[in-house]
mmCIF file of all heavy atoms in Angstrom:
data_model
loop_
_atom_site.group_PDB
_atom_site.id
_atom_site.type_symbol
_atom_site.label_atom_id
_atom_site.label_comp_id
_atom_site.label_asym_id
_atom_site.label_seq_id
_atom_site.Cartn_x
_atom_site.Cartn_y
_atom_site.Cartn_z
ATOM 1 N N GLN U 181 -19.674 -0.328 -8.651
ATOM 2 C CA GLN U 181 -20.727 -1.110 -7.996
ATOM 3 C C GLN U 181 -21.904 -1.324 -8.954
ATOM 4 O O GLN U 181 -22.489 -2.406 -8.986
ATOM 5 C CB GLN U 181 -21.206 -0.366 -6.727
ATOM 6 C CG GLN U 181 -22.104 -1.256 -5.896
ATOM 7 C CD GLN U 181 -22.251 -0.757 -4.464
ATOM 8 O OE1 GLN U 181 -21.561 0.127 -4.052
ATOM 9 N NE2 GLN U 181 -23.164 -1.363 -3.727
ATOM 10 N N LYS U 185 -23.386 -4.836 -10.159
ATOM 11 C CA LYS U 185 -24.799 -5.212 -10.018
ATOM 12 C C LYS U 185 -25.326 -5.722 -11.358
ATOM 13 O O LYS U 185 -26.037 -6.722 -11.399
ATOM 14 C CB LYS U 185 -25.628 -3.972 -9.557
ATOM 15 C CG LYS U 185 -25.300 -3.525 -8.168
ATOM 16 C CD LYS U 185 -26.514 -3.634 -7.278
ATOM 17 C CE LYS U 185 -26.122 -3.258 -5.858
ATOM 18 N NZ LYS U 185 -27.006 -3.900 -4.894
ATOM 19 N N GLU U 192 -18.000 -7.559 -2.037
ATOM 20 C CA GLU U 192 -17.626 -7.924 -0.676
ATOM 21 C C GLU U 192 -17.563 -6.716 0.239
ATOM 22 O O GLU U 192 -17.921 -6.766 1.387
ATOM 23 C CB GLU U 192 -16.281 -8.657 -0.677
ATOM 24 C CG GLU U 192 -16.007 -9.305 0.661
ATOM 25 C CD GLU U 192 -14.764 -10.169 0.639
ATOM 26 O OE1 GLU U 192 -14.431 -10.689 -0.440
ATOM 27 O OE2 GLU U 192 -14.139 -10.317 1.684
ATOM 28 N N ASN U 194 -18.249 -2.466 -0.023
ATOM 29 C CA ASN U 194 -18.617 -1.310 -0.837
ATOM 30 C C ASN U 194 -18.058 -0.005 -0.289
ATOM 31 O O ASN U 194 -18.418 1.071 -0.749
ATOM 32 C CB ASN U 194 -20.150 -1.235 -1.000
ATOM 33 C CG ASN U 194 -20.822 -0.840 0.309
ATOM 34 O OD1 ASN U 194 -20.193 -0.827 1.361
ATOM 35 N ND2 ASN U 194 -22.098 -0.515 0.239
ATOM 36 N N GLU U 209 -15.969 -9.886 -6.076
ATOM 37 C CA GLU U 209 -15.493 -11.215 -6.457
ATOM 38 C C GLU U 209 -14.758 -11.136 -7.802
ATOM 39 O O GLU U 209 -15.113 -10.300 -8.655
ATOM 40 C CB GLU U 209 -16.700 -12.140 -6.616
ATOM 41 C CG GLU U 209 -16.339 -13.572 -6.769
ATOM 42 C CD GLU U 209 -17.590 -14.443 -7.011
ATOM 43 O OE1 GLU U 209 -18.291 -14.192 -7.983
ATOM 44 O OE2 GLU U 209 -17.836 -15.326 -6.215
ATOM 45 N N ASN U 242 -12.014 28.641 -20.967
ATOM 46 C CA ASN U 242 -12.088 29.944 -20.303
ATOM 47 C C ASN U 242 -10.806 30.364 -19.596
ATOM 48 O O ASN U 242 -10.437 31.540 -19.605
ATOM 49 C CB ASN U 242 -13.260 29.963 -19.309
ATOM 50 C CG ASN U 242 -14.581 29.988 -20.024
ATOM 51 O OD1 ASN U 242 -14.890 30.910 -20.758
ATOM 52 N ND2 ASN U 242 -15.362 28.930 -19.888
ATOM 53 N N TYR U 245 -7.683 29.357 -22.678
ATOM 54 C CA TYR U 245 -7.655 30.068 -23.976
ATOM 55 C C TYR U 245 -8.202 31.488 -23.904
ATOM 56 O O TYR U 245 -7.486 32.444 -24.225
ATOM 57 C CB TYR U 245 -8.442 29.257 -24.998
ATOM 58 C CG TYR U 245 -8.464 29.916 -26.351
ATOM 59 C CD1 TYR U 245 -7.310 30.067 -27.114
ATOM 60 C CD2 TYR U 245 -9.662 30.416 -26.880
ATOM 61 C CE1 TYR U 245 -7.336 30.729 -28.340
ATOM 62 C CE2 TYR U 245 -9.691 31.058 -28.116
ATOM 63 C CZ TYR U 245 -8.522 31.197 -28.836
ATOM 64 O OH TYR U 245 -8.569 31.837 -30.044
ATOM 65 N N LEU U 246 -9.428 31.619 -23.416
ATOM 66 C CA LEU U 246 -10.039 32.948 -23.406
ATOM 67 C C LEU U 246 -9.449 33.856 -22.317
ATOM 68 O O LEU U 246 -9.587 35.067 -22.392
ATOM 69 C CB LEU U 246 -11.555 32.817 -23.216
ATOM 70 C CG LEU U 246 -12.332 32.183 -24.363
ATOM 71 C CD1 LEU U 246 -13.802 32.009 -24.008
ATOM 72 C CD2 LEU U 246 -12.212 32.992 -25.636
ATOM 73 N N GLU U 247 -8.815 33.256 -21.328
ATOM 74 C CA GLU U 247 -8.181 33.991 -20.237
ATOM 75 C C GLU U 247 -9.164 34.951 -19.561
ATOM 76 O O GLU U 247 -8.932 36.160 -19.508
ATOM 77 C CB GLU U 247 -6.982 34.764 -20.753
ATOM 78 C CG GLU U 247 -5.873 33.871 -21.312
ATOM 79 C CD GLU U 247 -4.803 34.678 -22.007
ATOM 80 O OE1 GLU U 247 -4.560 35.842 -21.632
ATOM 81 O OE2 GLU U 247 -4.180 34.147 -22.932
ATOM 82 N N SER U 249 -11.111 37.012 -16.783
ATOM 83 C CA SER U 249 -10.494 37.725 -15.668
ATOM 84 C C SER U 249 -11.480 37.985 -14.514
ATOM 85 O O SER U 249 -11.070 38.423 -13.468
ATOM 86 C CB SER U 249 -9.922 39.046 -16.144
ATOM 87 O OG SER U 249 -10.920 39.771 -16.828
ATOM 88 N N GLU T 1194 -15.770 -17.431 -5.862
ATOM 89 C CA GLU T 1194 -15.043 -17.196 -4.608
ATOM 90 C C GLU T 1194 -15.906 -17.517 -3.401
ATOM 91 O O GLU T 1194 -15.400 -17.963 -2.376
ATOM 92 C CB GLU T 1194 -14.638 -15.706 -4.579
ATOM 93 C CG GLU T 1194 -13.617 -15.324 -3.523
ATOM 94 C CD GLU T 1194 -12.279 -15.962 -3.768
ATOM 95 O OE1 GLU T 1194 -11.926 -16.253 -4.923
ATOM 96 O OE2 GLU T 1194 -11.559 -16.207 -2.781
ATOM 97 N N TYR T 1195 -17.196 -17.336 -3.555
ATOM 98 C CA TYR T 1195 -18.089 -17.464 -2.396
ATOM 99 C C TYR T 1195 -19.115 -18.560 -2.615
ATOM 100 O O TYR T 1195 -19.393 -18.945 -3.779
ATOM 101 C CB TYR T 1195 -18.790 -16.141 -2.124
ATOM 102 C CG TYR T 1195 -17.858 -14.971 -2.084
ATOM 103 C CD1 TYR T 1195 -17.908 -13.987 -3.069
ATOM 104 C CD2 TYR T 1195 -16.920 -14.839 -1.069
ATOM 105 C CE1 TYR T 1195 -17.046 -12.918 -3.039
ATOM 106 C CE2 TYR T 1195 -16.037 -13.783 -1.045
ATOM 107 C CZ TYR T 1195 -16.111 -12.824 -2.023
ATOM 108 O OH TYR T 1195 -15.248 -11.776 -2.016
ATOM 109 N N ARG T 1200 -22.914 -15.315 -1.885
ATOM 110 C CA ARG T 1200 -22.968 -14.583 -3.141
ATOM 111 C C ARG T 1200 -24.310 -13.811 -3.228
ATOM 112 O O ARG T 1200 -24.351 -12.658 -3.633
ATOM 113 C CB ARG T 1200 -22.864 -15.517 -4.348
ATOM 114 C CG ARG T 1200 -21.488 -16.084 -4.542
ATOM 115 C CD ARG T 1200 -21.365 -16.812 -5.857
ATOM 116 N NE ARG T 1200 -20.853 -15.941 -6.884
ATOM 117 C CZ ARG T 1200 -21.485 -15.583 -7.966
ATOM 118 N NH1 ARG T 1200 -22.708 -16.029 -8.160
ATOM 119 N NH2 ARG T 1200 -20.961 -14.788 -8.858
ATOM 120 N N THR T 1206 -25.733 -6.248 -1.882
ATOM 121 C CA THR T 1206 -25.039 -5.167 -1.152
ATOM 122 C C THR T 1206 -25.551 -3.822 -1.626
ATOM 123 O O THR T 1206 -25.638 -3.582 -2.841
ATOM 124 C CB THR T 1206 -23.523 -5.236 -1.420
ATOM 125 O OG1 THR T 1206 -23.057 -6.538 -1.111
ATOM 126 C CG2 THR T 1206 -22.778 -4.196 -0.574
ATOM 127 N N LYS T 1207 -25.898 -2.987 -0.669
ATOM 128 C CA LYS T 1207 -26.474 -1.687 -1.039
ATOM 129 C C LYS T 1207 -25.347 -0.733 -1.436
ATOM 130 O O LYS T 1207 -24.192 -0.912 -1.041
ATOM 131 C CB LYS T 1207 -27.258 -1.109 0.140
ATOM 132 C CG LYS T 1207 -28.587 -1.812 0.312
ATOM 133 C CD LYS T 1207 -29.356 -1.205 1.442
ATOM 134 C CE LYS T 1207 -30.690 -1.938 1.619
ATOM 135 N NZ LYS T 1207 -31.414 -1.508 2.789
ATOM 136 N N SER T 1233 -19.007 28.142 -23.539
ATOM 137 C CA SER T 1233 -17.572 28.353 -23.693
ATOM 138 C C SER T 1233 -17.115 28.012 -25.107
ATOM 139 O O SER T 1233 -16.289 28.720 -25.680
ATOM 140 C CB SER T 1233 -16.814 27.475 -22.681
ATOM 141 O OG SER T 1233 -17.243 27.765 -21.397
ATOM 142 N N GLU T 1244 -9.509 35.362 -34.302
ATOM 143 C CA GLU T 1244 -8.041 35.322 -34.250
ATOM 144 C C GLU T 1244 -7.471 34.926 -35.641
ATOM 145 O O GLU T 1244 -6.440 35.446 -36.062
ATOM 146 C CB GLU T 1244 -7.598 34.320 -33.185
ATOM 147 C CG GLU T 1244 -6.269 34.671 -32.600
ATOM 148 C CD GLU T 1244 -5.986 33.833 -31.366
ATOM 149 O OE1 GLU T 1244 -6.345 32.646 -31.338
ATOM 150 O OE2 GLU T 1244 -5.410 34.389 -30.420
ATOM 151 N N ASP T 1284 -16.288 39.603 -17.854
ATOM 152 C CA ASP T 1284 -15.868 39.676 -19.248
ATOM 153 C C ASP T 1284 -15.815 38.289 -19.888
ATOM 154 O O ASP T 1284 -15.920 37.279 -19.212
ATOM 155 C CB ASP T 1284 -14.501 40.318 -19.326
ATOM 156 C CG ASP T 1284 -13.490 39.517 -18.528
ATOM 157 O OD1 ASP T 1284 -13.067 38.474 -19.015
ATOM 158 O OD2 ASP T 1284 -13.142 39.947 -17.420
ATOM 159 N N GLY T 1286 -13.259 37.283 -21.570
ATOM 160 C CA GLY T 1286 -11.880 36.844 -21.675
ATOM 161 C C GLY T 1286 -10.921 37.866 -22.261
ATOM 162 O O GLY T 1286 -11.301 38.688 -23.087
ATOM 163 N N ARG T 1287 -9.696 37.748 -21.811
ATOM 164 C CA ARG T 1287 -8.646 38.678 -22.260
ATOM 165 C C ARG T 1287 -8.380 38.535 -23.755
ATOM 166 O O ARG T 1287 -8.003 39.496 -24.424
ATOM 167 C CB ARG T 1287 -7.336 38.381 -21.482
ATOM 168 C CG ARG T 1287 -7.388 38.789 -20.046
ATOM 169 C CD ARG T 1287 -7.243 40.294 -19.922
ATOM 170 N NE ARG T 1287 -7.001 40.710 -18.586
ATOM 171 C CZ ARG T 1287 -7.629 41.743 -18.002
ATOM 172 N NH1 ARG T 1287 -8.536 42.412 -18.673
ATOM 173 N NH2 ARG T 1287 -7.335 42.094 -16.782
#
Side-chain angles (χ1 to χ4, degrees):
Chain U
Q181 190 163 351
K185 292 242 177 206
E192 193 173 332
N194 71 348
E209 190 184 60
N242 289 298
Y245 179 66
L246 293 175
E247 297 172 29
S249 54
Chain T
E1194 193 65 28
Y1195 311 112
R1200 288 189 94 244
T1206 307
K1207 285 181 181 173
S1233 304
E1244 209 169 37
D1284 58 77
R1287 289 284 192 225

